[in-house]
Amino acid sequence: MAKTKSGRIQSVDRALNILELISEAEDGLSLAQIAQKIGLPKSTVHGLVSTLRDHKYLRQDDEDGRYLMGLHLFELGSKAARSWDIRDAAKPAMRWLGKEFGETVHLGCEDNGEVLYLDKIAADSLITIVSDIGTRLPMHCSGLGKALLSHKSESEIKRFIQTKGLTPLTGRTITDPDKFIKELAKIKEQGFALDDGEIMEGLRCVGVPIFDEDGLVRYAISVSGQVKDIYGNRLERLIIETKRAAKEITYALSKGKGHIK
């Protein structure tokens, strides 16, 4: 079995690349198209797609021979969704926050050093937030991301900075590593993160970490809106209620149902 320098199995890498390619092709791909896109001989690709087809990860159209996503992927996805109950646990708190403040509410987690958006309650707003479910955004300049990062060790934070960098998205993005580390320490102490136009001009976001039963931060919740609408007493109340919502979600994860009123 051939391995890459990182120790990964080459054939598995290739099979996963093929799955990702076909997932993006609405009408499927022919053997020749897959070979061309992935840069491998047709004979090699044929062996890979045949194996994936036999295990029902791919299916082949009877008429034109194109390969499409198989039923087994849907079955696996459904099982994963049933076993991952964070969205169900968070939904009541998210709906309450959205109704109470009329702003956009997000639920997210970290995935490969980025914020992965898991759920969203959208608000009618003049400002468009690119945060659909499944979207990934930088951690260092978002309320969700900073809330998630704030409970990592200093060595983990430094490794994150070295790997991902602190690329400025606006003039307010924190790009100095020392200032960023101090910012995360402040967030940890106060229990919430504030994105004040760091990822998008005119946007203000309050992010709060969600703890699991072991006291680890796995997820975060945030409320986002225009700076002109989130300030003063309203900002203070939003912080209080978002922190309370995060506690409710922790409760819901460990006990079953939340009880925001």
Side-chain angles (χ1 to χ4, degrees):
M1 253 187 309
K3 291 186 178 181
T4 64
K5 290 182 180 180
S6 62
R8 299 187 308 192
I9 306 300
Q10 189 179 66
S11 58
V12 177
D13 262 345
R14 289 172 170 175
L16 293 173
N17 286 337
I18 289 172
L19 286 176
E20 289 179 6
L21 274 175
I22 294 175
S23 72
E24 296 173 358
E26 192 172 319
D27 298 323
L29 294 172
S30 68
L31 182 66
Q33 288 173 321
I34 298 170
Q36 182 183 18
K37 287 177 179 291
I38 209 167
L40 291 173
K42 287 172 66 175
S43 58
T44 301
V45 172
H46 182 266
L48 291 167
V49 295
S50 295
T51 302
L52 290 168
R53 181 196 59 205
D54 291 347
H55 286 275
K56 298 183 180 179
Y57 289 99
L58 293 178
R59 61 186 176 88
Q60 192 170 14
D61 189 277
D62 291 334
E63 292 185 6
D64 60 17
R66 285 173 174 263
Y67 291 91
L68 302 102
M69 303 302 283
L71 180 63
H72 194 48
L73 288 170
F74 172 77
E75 293 170 340
L76 290 178
S78 298
K79 289 177 182 178
R82 287 197 298 270
S83 66
W84 202 16
D85 60 354
I86 179 61
R87 290 177 62 184
D88 289 338
K91 187 66 79 175
M94 293 179 68
R95 285 176 176 159
W96 185 87
L97 281 173
K99 182 179 179 181
E100 187 72 9
F101 291 97
E103 305 291 358
T104 298
V105 185
H106 293 110
L107 175 72
C109 68
E110 178 188 357
D111 186 60
N112 195 30
E114 297 174 311
V115 174
L116 175 63
Y117 285 86
L118 302 174
D119 208 352
K120 176 180 181 178
I121 303 293
D124 294 330
S125 176
L126 295 176
I127 191 167
T128 301
I129 305 171
V130 184
S131 55
D132 292 334
I133 298 170
T135 299
R136 297 170 186 269
L137 288 176
M139 296 187 73
H140 69 285
C141 53
S142 61
L144 283 176
K146 291 197 292 182
L148 290 162
L149 284 169
S150 66
H151 285 266
K152 293 184 178 295
S153 67
E154 188 167 328
S155 61
E156 289 176 313
I157 294 169
K158 287 180 178 178
R159 188 160 57 248
F160 166 83
I161 294 171
Q162 291 172 353
T163 304
K164 292 294 183 177
L166 301 174
T167 304
L169 270 69
T170 74
R172 301 181 67 90
T173 306
I174 300 173
T175 57
D176 179 86
D178 291 334
K179 287 183 180 179
F180 186 68
I181 291 171
K182 289 179 181 177
E183 168 79 356
L184 294 182
K186 177 183 176 183
I187 291 167
K188 183 177 182 179
E189 181 179 354
Q190 66 191 14
F192 71 92
L194 190 64
D195 159 20
D196 201 1
E198 296 168 48
I199 198 167
M200 183 187 299
E201 295 286 356
L203 179 72
R204 180 167 284 159
C205 173
V206 173
V208 178
I210 297 169
F211 295 86
D212 65 13
E213 291 178 285
D214 299 318
L216 300 175
V217 174
R218 302 291 189 190
Y219 311 100
I221 187 172
S222 71
V223 180
S224 304
Q226 296 183 76
V227 172
K228 68 179 184 63
D229 296 327
I230 302 177
Y231 66 95
N233 292 335
R234 190 167 188 265
L235 172 60
E236 293 301 318
R237 183 166 173 266
L238 193 149
I239 290 169
I240 291 169
E241 297 301 340
T242 306
K243 290 170 75 172
R244 189 163 78 93
K247 289 181 181 179
E248 289 288 336
I249 297 169
T250 294
Y251 177 86
L253 284 171
S254 60
K255 301 296 183 183
K257 293 183 179 180
H259 50 276
I260 278 191
K261 296 179 180 178

